[in-house]
Amino acid sequence: GYATTITLVYEGQSGSPFSYIYNDFGQVNNEDSRERTLVYIPRSQDEIVLVGNDNATADEQWAALDAFIEQDNYLSSNRGSYAEKNSSRIPFTGIMDLRVAQDFVIAGSNHVLTVGFDIFNFTNLLNKDWGVRYFSNFGSAYLLRFEGFEDDSLVPTYSFDTDNKELKDLLNVDDSGITSSRWQAQLSIRYTF
């Protein structure tokens, strides 16, 4: 009458689609104030005008952007063209939840008290890099930031954040609610009569 139940639930999910875009506030193609201009994936440094800033020179930004493009399967295989809408996917997510429940039979009756302990996203408890859930705002990831036009011409200039080493750096981490990337614990009591 004192049953112990241990449950492991695994959820594996491929990431949702997203598009690589400029952070341009609608200024590159003059559509409106939303950032939804798909990026051009340069083959070489002379196909993009990068402007240096306090963090990195134009050459350092190109080296970082080139390395970023090379490590991304979609971008590296589509150099010299514009990224397609919803052409890439957020990384695969694997989450495991753990539940341990112990039944206590109340003597002389059919009544059972069950004490349960749940750990949501148990994988994240084991390792802080596991069970991370990513999302993109409005199905897009900002690859480049629009900095204006070159010398009053129509040639756009951009900057690339050299801290971005891989796709995960461009995405947001879901850290809220029951579907959080962080592990959470819950204690429950159930009385059955």
Side-chain angles (χ1 to χ4, degrees), residues 44-99:
S44 62
Q45 187 173 2
D46 44 331
E47 290 190 343
I48 187 170
V49 179
L50 295 168
V51 290
N53 54 35
D54 294 339
N55 299 324
T57 66
D59 288 338
E60 290 169 336
Q61 288 181 43
W62 168 251
L65 174 60
D66 189 48
F68 184 93
I69 292 171
E70 277 305 308
Q71 61 82 40
D72 185 283
N73 290 336
Y74 176 77
L75 294 175
S76 62
S77 61
N78 287 282
R79 283 182 181 262
S81 60
Y82 283 90
E84 297 173 359
K85 185 173 180 164
N86 295 329
S87 57
S88 296
R89 287 199 162 291
I90 292 173
F92 183 87
T93 303
I95 305 290
M96 191 178 307
D97 296 333
L98 172 69
R99 175 174 175 76

Short mmCIF file of all heavy atoms in Angstrom, two decimals, residues 44-99:
data_model
loop_
_atom_site.label_atom_id
_atom_site.label_comp_id
_atom_site.label_asym_id
_atom_site.label_seq_id
_atom_site.Cartn_x
_atom_site.Cartn_y
_atom_site.Cartn_z
N SER A 44 31.93 37.90 -50.14
CA SER A 44 33.23 38.44 -49.74
C SER A 44 33.02 39.81 -49.12
O SER A 44 31.93 40.38 -49.18
CB SER A 44 34.16 38.54 -50.95
OG SER A 44 33.60 39.42 -51.90
N GLN A 45 34.08 40.36 -48.56
CA GLN A 45 34.00 41.63 -47.85
C GLN A 45 33.63 42.79 -48.77
O GLN A 45 33.00 43.74 -48.33
CB GLN A 45 35.33 41.92 -47.15
CG GLN A 45 35.29 43.14 -46.25
CD GLN A 45 36.54 43.32 -45.44
OE1 GLN A 45 37.49 42.54 -45.56
NE2 GLN A 45 36.57 44.33 -44.60
N ASP A 46 33.96 42.69 -50.05
CA ASP A 46 33.64 43.80 -50.95
C ASP A 46 32.16 43.81 -51.36
O ASP A 46 31.73 44.70 -52.09
CB ASP A 46 34.56 43.85 -52.16
CG ASP A 46 34.80 42.50 -52.81
OD1 ASP A 46 34.75 41.50 -52.09
OD2 ASP A 46 35.05 42.46 -54.03
N GLU A 47 31.35 42.88 -50.88
CA GLU A 47 29.92 42.89 -51.17
C GLU A 47 29.09 43.51 -50.05
O GLU A 47 27.87 43.53 -50.12
CB GLU A 47 29.42 41.47 -51.44
CG GLU A 47 29.90 40.89 -52.73
CD GLU A 47 29.22 39.59 -53.09
OE1 GLU A 47 28.60 38.95 -52.22
OE2 GLU A 47 29.32 39.21 -54.27
N ILE A 48 29.75 44.01 -49.02
CA ILE A 48 29.04 44.64 -47.90
C ILE A 48 29.90 45.77 -47.35
O ILE A 48 31.13 45.67 -47.33
CB ILE A 48 28.70 43.61 -46.79
CG1 ILE A 48 27.83 44.24 -45.73
CG2 ILE A 48 29.96 43.01 -46.21
CD1 ILE A 48 27.26 43.24 -44.73
N VAL A 49 29.24 46.84 -46.94
CA VAL A 49 29.96 47.96 -46.34
C VAL A 49 29.72 47.91 -44.84
O VAL A 49 28.61 48.16 -44.36
CB VAL A 49 29.49 49.32 -46.92
CG1 VAL A 49 30.25 50.47 -46.24
CG2 VAL A 49 29.68 49.36 -48.42
N LEU A 50 30.76 47.54 -44.10
CA LEU A 50 30.70 47.50 -42.65
C LEU A 50 31.39 48.74 -42.10
O LEU A 50 32.43 49.15 -42.62
CB LEU A 50 31.37 46.24 -42.10
CG LEU A 50 30.69 44.92 -42.47
CD1 LEU A 50 31.58 43.74 -42.13
CD2 LEU A 50 29.36 44.79 -41.76
N VAL A 51 30.82 49.32 -41.07
CA VAL A 51 31.43 50.50 -40.45
C VAL A 51 31.95 50.13 -39.07
O VAL A 51 31.27 49.44 -38.30
CB VAL A 51 30.44 51.68 -40.36
CG1 VAL A 51 30.15 52.23 -41.75
CG2 VAL A 51 29.15 51.30 -39.69
N GLY A 52 33.15 50.57 -38.79
CA GLY A 52 33.74 50.30 -37.49
C GLY A 52 33.05 51.09 -36.39
O GLY A 52 32.39 52.10 -36.63
N ASN A 53 33.20 50.61 -35.18
CA ASN A 53 32.65 51.30 -34.01
C ASN A 53 33.64 51.16 -32.86
O ASN A 53 34.78 50.74 -33.06
CB ASN A 53 31.26 50.76 -33.66
CG ASN A 53 31.25 49.26 -33.47
OD1 ASN A 53 32.22 48.67 -32.98
ND2 ASN A 53 30.16 48.61 -33.88
N ASP A 54 33.21 51.50 -31.66
CA ASP A 54 34.09 51.43 -30.49
C ASP A 54 34.53 50.01 -30.16
O ASP A 54 35.56 49.80 -29.53
CB ASP A 54 33.41 52.03 -29.26
CG ASP A 54 33.18 53.52 -29.42
OD1 ASP A 54 33.87 54.14 -30.25
OD2 ASP A 54 32.31 54.07 -28.71
N ASN A 55 33.76 49.02 -30.60
CA ASN A 55 34.04 47.63 -30.25
C ASN A 55 34.92 46.90 -31.26
O ASN A 55 35.66 46.00 -30.90
CB ASN A 55 32.74 46.86 -30.05
CG ASN A 55 31.92 47.43 -28.93
OD1 ASN A 55 32.46 47.89 -27.93
ND2 ASN A 55 30.61 47.42 -29.10
N ALA A 56 34.79 47.26 -32.54
CA ALA A 56 35.54 46.52 -33.57
C ALA A 56 35.65 47.35 -34.84
O ALA A 56 34.74 48.10 -35.19
CB ALA A 56 34.84 45.20 -33.87
N THR A 57 36.76 47.15 -35.53
CA THR A 57 36.94 47.81 -36.83
C THR A 57 36.10 47.08 -37.87
O THR A 57 35.57 45.99 -37.62
CB THR A 57 38.42 47.75 -37.26
OG1 THR A 57 38.77 46.38 -37.49
CG2 THR A 57 39.33 48.37 -36.21
N ALA A 58 36.01 47.68 -39.06
CA ALA A 58 35.25 47.04 -40.14
C ALA A 58 35.87 45.69 -40.51
O ALA A 58 35.16 44.72 -40.76
CB ALA A 58 35.20 47.96 -41.36
N ASP A 59 37.21 45.60 -40.54
CA ASP A 59 37.87 44.34 -40.87
C ASP A 59 37.62 43.27 -39.80
O ASP A 59 37.41 42.09 -40.12
CB ASP A 59 39.37 44.55 -41.04
CG ASP A 59 39.71 45.31 -42.32
OD1 ASP A 59 38.87 45.30 -43.25
OD2 ASP A 59 40.79 45.91 -42.38
N GLU A 60 37.63 43.66 -38.54
CA GLU A 60 37.34 42.71 -37.46
C GLU A 60 35.89 42.23 -37.54
O GLU A 60 35.61 41.05 -37.31
CB GLU A 60 37.61 43.35 -36.10
CG GLU A 60 39.08 43.60 -35.82
CD GLU A 60 39.32 44.47 -34.60
OE1 GLU A 60 38.43 45.26 -34.20
OE2 GLU A 60 40.42 44.36 -34.02
N GLN A 61 34.98 43.15 -37.87
CA GLN A 61 33.58 42.75 -38.02
C GLN A 61 33.41 41.79 -39.18
O GLN A 61 32.66 40.82 -39.08
CB GLN A 61 32.70 43.99 -38.23
CG GLN A 61 32.53 44.83 -36.99
CD GLN A 61 31.64 46.02 -37.25
OE1 GLN A 61 30.61 45.91 -37.90
NE2 GLN A 61 32.05 47.18 -36.74
N TRP A 62 34.11 42.05 -40.29
CA TRP A 62 34.00 41.14 -41.44
C TRP A 62 34.53 39.75 -41.06
O TRP A 62 33.92 38.74 -41.41
CB TRP A 62 34.74 41.65 -42.67
CG TRP A 62 34.83 40.55 -43.70
CD1 TRP A 62 35.94 39.86 -44.07
CD2 TRP A 62 33.73 39.96 -44.40
NE1 TRP A 62 35.62 38.87 -44.96
CE2 TRP A 62 34.26 38.92 -45.20
CE3 TRP A 62 32.37 40.20 -44.43
CZ2 TRP A 62 33.47 38.12 -46.02
CZ3 TRP A 62 31.57 39.40 -45.26
CH2 TRP A 62 32.11 38.38 -46.04
N ALA A 63 35.65 39.69 -40.37
CA ALA A 63 36.22 38.39 -39.97
C ALA A 63 35.21 37.62 -39.10
O ALA A 63 35.01 36.41 -39.29
CB ALA A 63 37.54 38.59 -39.24
N ALA A 64 34.57 38.32 -38.17
CA ALA A 64 33.58 37.67 -37.31
C ALA A 64 32.33 37.27 -38.09
O ALA A 64 31.78 36.18 -37.90
CB ALA A 64 33.20 38.60 -36.15
N LEU A 65 31.86 38.14 -38.98
CA LEU A 65 30.68 37.83 -39.80
C LEU A 65 30.97 36.66 -40.73
O LEU A 65 30.14 35.74 -40.86
CB LEU A 65 30.25 39.06 -40.61
CG LEU A 65 29.12 38.85 -41.62
CD1 LEU A 65 27.85 38.39 -40.93
CD2 LEU A 65 28.86 40.13 -42.41
N ASP A 66 32.13 36.66 -41.36
CA ASP A 66 32.51 35.57 -42.26
C ASP A 66 32.55 34.24 -41.50
O ASP A 66 32.06 33.21 -41.99
CB ASP A 66 33.86 35.88 -42.90
CG ASP A 66 34.21 34.91 -44.00
OD1 ASP A 66 33.36 34.64 -44.86
OD2 ASP A 66 35.36 34.41 -43.99
N ALA A 67 33.12 34.26 -40.29
CA ALA A 67 33.17 33.03 -39.47
C ALA A 67 31.76 32.59 -39.08
O ALA A 67 31.46 31.40 -39.07
CB ALA A 67 34.02 33.27 -38.23
N PHE A 68 30.88 33.55 -38.77
CA PHE A 68 29.50 33.22 -38.41
C PHE A 68 28.79 32.57 -39.59
O PHE A 68 28.10 31.57 -39.44
CB PHE A 68 28.74 34.48 -37.97
CG PHE A 68 27.36 34.21 -37.49
CD1 PHE A 68 27.11 34.00 -36.14
CD2 PHE A 68 26.29 34.14 -38.37
CE1 PHE A 68 25.83 33.73 -35.69
CE2 PHE A 68 25.01 33.86 -37.93
CZ PHE A 68 24.78 33.66 -36.58
N ILE A 69 28.95 33.15 -40.77
CA ILE A 69 28.31 32.58 -41.97
C ILE A 69 28.82 31.17 -42.23
O ILE A 69 28.05 30.27 -42.54
CB ILE A 69 28.55 33.49 -43.19
CG1 ILE A 69 27.79 34.82 -43.01
CG2 ILE A 69 28.14 32.81 -44.48
CD1 ILE A 69 28.13 35.88 -44.04
N GLU A 70 30.12 30.96 -42.09
CA GLU A 70 30.71 29.64 -42.36
C GLU A 70 30.20 28.56 -41.41
O GLU A 70 30.04 27.41 -41.81
CB GLU A 70 32.24 29.71 -42.30
CG GLU A 70 32.86 30.18 -43.57
CD GLU A 70 32.45 29.36 -44.79
OE1 GLU A 70 32.57 28.12 -44.76
OE2 GLU A 70 32.01 29.97 -45.77
N GLN A 71 29.94 28.91 -40.15
CA GLN A 71 29.50 27.88 -39.19
C GLN A 71 28.01 27.57 -39.30
O GLN A 71 27.52 26.65 -38.69
CB GLN A 71 29.87 28.27 -37.76
CG GLN A 71 29.25 29.54 -37.23
CD GLN A 71 27.83 29.40 -36.71
OE1 GLN A 71 27.49 28.41 -36.06
NE2 GLN A 71 26.99 30.37 -37.02
N ASP A 72 27.26 28.36 -40.07
CA ASP A 72 25.82 28.15 -40.24
C ASP A 72 25.57 27.46 -41.58
O ASP A 72 25.94 28.00 -42.64
CB ASP A 72 25.09 29.50 -40.18
CG ASP A 72 23.60 29.36 -40.24
OD1 ASP A 72 23.06 29.12 -41.34
OD2 ASP A 72 22.94 29.50 -39.18
N ASN A 73 24.96 26.29 -41.55
CA ASN A 73 24.76 25.51 -42.79
C ASN A 73 23.97 26.27 -43.84
O ASN A 73 24.33 26.25 -45.03
CB ASN A 73 24.05 24.19 -42.48
CG ASN A 73 24.93 23.23 -41.72
OD1 ASN A 73 26.15 23.32 -41.78
ND2 ASN A 73 24.32 22.32 -40.98
N TYR A 74 22.90 26.93 -43.43
CA TYR A 74 22.07 27.63 -44.42
C TYR A 74 22.82 28.82 -45.01
O TYR A 74 22.88 28.99 -46.23
CB TYR A 74 20.75 28.11 -43.80
CG TYR A 74 19.96 28.92 -44.80
CD1 TYR A 74 19.25 28.29 -45.81
CD2 TYR A 74 19.97 30.31 -44.76
CE1 TYR A 74 18.57 29.03 -46.77
CE2 TYR A 74 19.30 31.05 -45.72
CZ TYR A 74 18.58 30.41 -46.71
OH TYR A 74 17.92 31.14 -47.65
N LEU A 75 23.39 29.66 -44.16
CA LEU A 75 24.07 30.86 -44.65
C LEU A 75 25.26 30.51 -45.53
O LEU A 75 25.46 31.11 -46.59
CB LEU A 75 24.52 31.73 -43.47
CG LEU A 75 23.43 32.37 -42.62
CD1 LEU A 75 24.03 33.10 -41.43
CD2 LEU A 75 22.55 33.30 -43.44
N SER A 76 26.07 29.53 -45.11
CA SER A 76 27.27 29.20 -45.87
C SER A 76 26.95 28.62 -47.25
O SER A 76 27.70 28.80 -48.19
CB SER A 76 28.16 28.24 -45.08
OG SER A 76 27.48 27.02 -44.85
N SER A 77 25.81 27.95 -47.38
CA SER A 77 25.46 27.36 -48.68
C SER A 77 24.65 28.32 -49.55
O SER A 77 24.31 27.97 -50.68
CB SER A 77 24.69 26.05 -48.48
OG SER A 77 23.49 26.29 -47.78
N ASN A 78 24.37 29.53 -49.06
CA ASN A 78 23.58 30.49 -49.85
C ASN A 78 24.27 31.84 -49.98
O ASN A 78 23.61 32.86 -50.13
CB ASN A 78 22.20 30.67 -49.21
CG ASN A 78 21.32 29.46 -49.44
OD1 ASN A 78 20.78 29.28 -50.51
ND2 ASN A 78 21.22 28.62 -48.43
N ARG A 79 25.59 31.84 -49.93
CA ARG A 79 26.32 33.09 -50.13
C ARG A 79 26.01 33.65 -51.52
O ARG A 79 25.82 32.91 -52.47
CB ARG A 79 27.82 32.86 -50.00
CG ARG A 79 28.30 32.71 -48.57
CD ARG A 79 29.81 32.55 -48.57
NE ARG A 79 30.36 32.36 -47.25
CZ ARG A 79 30.90 33.33 -46.52
NH1 ARG A 79 30.93 34.56 -46.98
NH2 ARG A 79 31.42 33.08 -45.34
N GLY A 80 25.93 34.98 -51.59
CA GLY A 80 25.67 35.63 -52.87
C GLY A 80 24.20 35.76 -53.19
O GLY A 80 23.83 36.16 -54.29
N SER A 81 23.33 35.44 -52.25
CA SER A 81 21.88 35.58 -52.47
C SER A 81 21.23 36.11 -51.20
O SER A 81 21.85 36.17 -50.14
CB SER A 81 21.26 34.25 -52.89
OG SER A 81 21.46 33.28 -51.88
N TYR A 82 19.97 36.47 -51.31
CA TYR A 82 19.23 36.93 -50.14
C TYR A 82 18.70 35.72 -49.38
O TYR A 82 18.31 34.72 -49.98
CB TYR A 82 18.06 37.83 -50.56
CG TYR A 82 18.51 39.22 -50.92
CD1 TYR A 82 18.86 39.53 -52.23
CD2 TYR A 82 18.61 40.20 -49.95
CE1 TYR A 82 19.30 40.80 -52.56
CE2 TYR A 82 19.05 41.49 -50.28
CZ TYR A 82 19.38 41.77 -51.58
OH TYR A 82 19.82 43.02 -51.90
N ALA A 83 18.68 35.84 -48.08
CA ALA A 83 18.10 34.77 -47.25
C ALA A 83 16.62 34.65 -47.57
O ALA A 83 15.95 35.65 -47.82
CB ALA A 83 18.31 35.09 -45.77
N GLU A 84 16.12 33.45 -47.55
CA GLU A 84 14.69 33.23 -47.81
C GLU A 84 13.92 33.28 -46.49
O GLU A 84 14.46 32.98 -45.43
CB GLU A 84 14.49 31.87 -48.47
CG GLU A 84 15.16 31.77 -49.83
CD GLU A 84 15.11 30.37 -50.39
OE1 GLU A 84 14.56 29.46 -49.71
OE2 GLU A 84 15.62 30.16 -51.50
N LYS A 85 12.67 33.63 -46.59
CA LYS A 85 11.82 33.71 -45.41
C LYS A 85 11.66 32.32 -44.79
O LYS A 85 11.44 31.33 -45.50
CB LYS A 85 10.45 34.28 -45.78
CG LYS A 85 9.57 34.50 -44.59
CD LYS A 85 8.30 35.22 -44.96
CE LYS A 85 7.49 35.39 -43.69
NZ LYS A 85 6.46 36.36 -43.80
N ASN A 86 11.78 32.25 -43.46
CA ASN A 86 11.63 31.01 -42.70
C ASN A 86 12.54 29.89 -43.20
O ASN A 86 12.18 28.73 -43.18
CB ASN A 86 10.17 30.54 -42.70
CG ASN A 86 9.27 31.51 -41.97
OD1 ASN A 86 9.69 32.17 -41.03
ND2 ASN A 86 8.03 31.60 -42.41
N SER A 87 13.73 30.27 -43.63
CA SER A 87 14.65 29.29 -44.22
C SER A 87 15.49 28.56 -43.19
O SER A 87 16.07 27.52 -43.49
CB SER A 87 15.57 30.01 -45.19
OG SER A 87 16.24 31.06 -44.50
N SER A 88 15.56 29.07 -41.98
CA SER A 88 16.38 28.44 -40.94
C SER A 88 15.50 28.00 -39.78
O SER A 88 14.35 28.41 -39.67
CB SER A 88 17.44 29.43 -40.44
OG SER A 88 18.31 29.76 -41.49
N ARG A 89 16.08 27.18 -38.92
CA ARG A 89 15.33 26.69 -37.77
C ARG A 89 16.10 26.94 -36.49
O ARG A 89 17.32 26.86 -36.44
CB ARG A 89 15.06 25.20 -37.88
CG ARG A 89 14.01 24.84 -38.91
CD ARG A 89 13.49 23.44 -38.64
NE ARG A 89 12.25 23.09 -39.25
CZ ARG A 89 11.04 23.57 -38.96
NH1 ARG A 89 10.91 24.48 -38.06
NH2 ARG A 89 9.97 23.15 -39.56
N ILE A 90 15.33 27.24 -35.44
CA ILE A 90 15.89 27.38 -34.10
C ILE A 90 16.43 26.00 -33.69
O ILE A 90 15.89 24.98 -34.11
CB ILE A 90 14.80 27.88 -33.13
CG1 ILE A 90 14.45 29.32 -33.51
CG2 ILE A 90 15.22 27.78 -31.68
CD1 ILE A 90 13.27 29.88 -32.77
N PRO A 91 17.48 25.94 -32.88
CA PRO A 91 18.05 24.64 -32.50
C PRO A 91 17.04 23.69 -31.85
O PRO A 91 16.09 24.11 -31.19
CB PRO A 91 19.14 25.02 -31.48
CG PRO A 91 19.49 26.42 -31.80
CD PRO A 91 18.23 27.06 -32.30
N PHE A 92 17.27 22.41 -32.08
CA PHE A 92 16.46 21.33 -31.48
C PHE A 92 16.50 21.46 -29.96
O PHE A 92 17.53 21.78 -29.38
CB PHE A 92 17.03 19.98 -31.91
CG PHE A 92 16.25 18.80 -31.43
CD1 PHE A 92 15.18 18.31 -32.13
CD2 PHE A 92 16.59 18.18 -30.22
CE1 PHE A 92 14.47 17.22 -31.68
CE2 PHE A 92 15.88 17.09 -29.76
CZ PHE A 92 14.82 16.61 -30.49
N THR A 93 15.37 21.19 -29.33
CA THR A 93 15.28 21.27 -27.87
C THR A 93 14.92 19.89 -27.32
O THR A 93 13.98 19.26 -27.79
CB THR A 93 14.18 22.28 -27.44
OG1 THR A 93 14.48 23.53 -28.00
CG2 THR A 93 14.13 22.40 -25.93
N GLY A 94 15.66 19.46 -26.32
CA GLY A 94 15.37 18.21 -25.62
C GLY A 94 15.20 18.49 -24.14
O GLY A 94 16.12 19.00 -23.50
N ILE A 95 14.02 18.20 -23.61
CA ILE A 95 13.69 18.49 -22.21
C ILE A 95 13.24 17.19 -21.54
O ILE A 95 12.49 16.42 -22.12
CB ILE A 95 12.53 19.51 -22.11
CG1 ILE A 95 12.85 20.78 -22.89
CG2 ILE A 95 12.18 19.80 -20.67
CD1 ILE A 95 13.93 21.62 -22.30
N MET A 96 13.67 16.99 -20.30
CA MET A 96 13.21 15.84 -19.53
C MET A 96 12.67 16.34 -18.19
O MET A 96 13.32 17.12 -17.50
CB MET A 96 14.34 14.85 -19.30
CG MET A 96 13.86 13.52 -18.73
SD MET A 96 15.19 12.31 -18.51
CE MET A 96 15.95 12.28 -20.09
N ASP A 97 11.47 15.89 -17.84
CA ASP A 97 10.86 16.20 -16.55
C ASP A 97 10.89 14.95 -15.67
O ASP A 97 10.74 13.83 -16.16
CB ASP A 97 9.40 16.66 -16.72
CG ASP A 97 9.28 17.95 -17.51
OD1 ASP A 97 10.23 18.74 -17.50
OD2 ASP A 97 8.23 18.16 -18.15
N LEU A 98 11.06 15.15 -14.37
CA LEU A 98 11.11 14.04 -13.41
C LEU A 98 10.03 14.22 -12.36
O LEU A 98 9.81 15.33 -11.87
CB LEU A 98 12.48 14.00 -12.72
CG LEU A 98 12.66 13.03 -11.56
CD1 LEU A 98 12.62 11.59 -12.05
CD2 LEU A 98 13.95 13.30 -10.81
N ARG A 99 9.34 13.13 -12.04
CA ARG A 99 8.34 13.15 -10.97
C ARG A 99 8.55 11.94 -10.08
O ARG A 99 8.68 10.81 -10.56
CB ARG A 99 6.92 13.13 -11.53
CG ARG A 99 5.86 13.04 -10.44
CD ARG A 99 4.45 13.15 -11.01
NE ARG A 99 3.43 12.95 -10.01
CZ ARG A 99 3.06 13.83 -9.09
NH1 ARG A 99 3.65 14.99 -9.02
NH2 ARG A 99 2.11 13.55 -8.23
#
